[in-house]
Amino acid sequence: MCLLLGASGAGKTLLLKRLQKLCQMGAQEDLGEAPVTLPTVGTNLTDLTLRKRKITVRELGGCMGPIWPKYYSDCRSVIFVVDSVNTVQISSSCVQLLSVLSAEPLQSAAVLVLFNKRDLPCTMSLVELKALFRMDDIIRSAPQSISTLETSARSGQGLQELLSWLFSHRSHDTG
């Protein structure tokens, strides 16, 4: 199982819907208009299937941060979504990420830090975001395999790369 985590409003629900659509289409095509989403209160459990390979993704609402650890035991990979436009939220997202990385059940999980909303104006550059998060230090000191990726769930930027990462780090789900 893969956990999809991040602060409220980071774009997790839209990201999951877009990944579902990409898997259903089977090839990179125009994703069309982004669907309307509401903040997740609770969890969304979604199976993504690509070329007869399946992975289960559990999205946990950002407001559920205090109870995220209850879901760590069955987790093989983590996608941590950061809103790269919301400068007010950056420091709290960094604290959340460090908390996730320090959790004992996640010590062997593969982790992908997604800098989302790259299509919007006034977004911080990837260099700025990595510097604020001190990503080089985090990657060097964490026991997990950590990758970073820029995405835009709205435009589809980076979603094929995200699917590739997801399926290369999947647990032994069916397929």
Side-chain angles (χ1 to χ4, degrees), residues 9 12 21 26 29 35 41 52 65 91 134 136 163 168:
K12 299 177 299 296
K21 187 168 184 179
E29 297 177 26
V41 178
K52 298 182 182 179
S91 61
R134 298 188 61 164
D136 290 342
L163 278 177
S168 69

Side-chain angles (χ1 to χ4, degrees), residues 19 50-51 53 112 149 158-170:
L19 291 174
L50 188 65
R51 294 185 289 279
R53 294 169 37 192
L112 178 62
L149 183 63
L159 296 188
Q160 287 293 346
E161 293 87 348
L162 172 52
L163 278 177
S164 294
W165 182 91
L166 194 55
F167 281 92
S168 69
H169 292 89
R170 71 189 179 107

Side-chain angles (χ1 to χ4, degrees), residues 104-135:
E104 183 64 35
L106 298 178
Q107 295 301 293
S108 61
V111 177
L112 178 62
V113 179
L114 277 186
F115 295 105
N116 193 29
K117 302 187 182 182
R118 303 305 293 162
D119 59 312
L120 295 177
C122 301
T123 184
M124 282 189 261
S125 73
L126 185 60
V127 170
E128 290 171 317
L129 287 164
K130 284 183 170 183
L132 284 172
F133 270 76
R134 298 188 61 164
M135 284 308 301

Side-chain angles (χ1 to χ4, degrees), residues 2-153:
C2 176
L3 288 179
L4 182 60
L5 306 174
S8 295
K12 299 177 299 296
T13 303
L14 180 58
L15 184 73
L16 199 52
K17 286 184 177 197
R18 298 300 247 182
L19 291 174
Q20 276 184 292
K21 187 168 184 179
L22 267 178
C23 286
Q24 291 167 355
M25 292 177 356
Q28 189 172 10
E29 297 177 26
D30 182 20
L31 286 170
E33 281 296 310
V36 174
T37 60
L38 296 172
T40 299
V41 178
T43 72
N44 282 329
L45 197 59
T46 303
D47 287 331
L48 299 175
T49 305
L50 188 65
R51 294 185 289 279
K52 298 182 182 179
R53 294 169 37 192
K54 179 182 109 176
I55 189 163
T56 301
V57 178
R58 180 184 299 271
E59 174 197 358
L60 298 176
C63 63
M64 293 181 57
I67 64 168
W68 287 353
K70 294 187 183 309
Y71 294 90
Y72 291 169
S73 61
D74 295 331
C75 176
R76 298 280 188 267
S77 58
V78 174
I79 299 171
F80 189 87
V81 184
V82 176
D83 181 340
S84 61
V85 177
N86 189 341
T87 56
V88 173
Q89 203 175 59
I90 293 293
S91 61
S92 63
S93 290
C94 187
V95 170
Q96 282 180 317
L97 175 61
L98 291 172
S99 176
V100 167
L101 294 174
S102 66
E104 183 64 35
L106 298 178
Q107 295 301 293
S108 61
V111 177
L112 178 62
V113 179
L114 277 186
F115 295 105
N116 193 29
K117 302 187 182 182
R118 303 305 293 162
D119 59 312
L120 295 177
C122 301
T123 184
M124 282 189 261
S125 73
L126 185 60
V127 170
E128 290 171 317
L129 287 164
K130 284 183 170 183
L132 284 172
F133 270 76
R134 298 188 61 164
M135 284 308 301
D136 290 342
D137 292 337
I138 289 173
I139 290 169
R140 193 171 27 260
S141 62
Q144 297 92 340
S145 165
I146 302 173
S147 304
T148 60
L149 183 63
E150 293 181 280
T151 59
S152 168

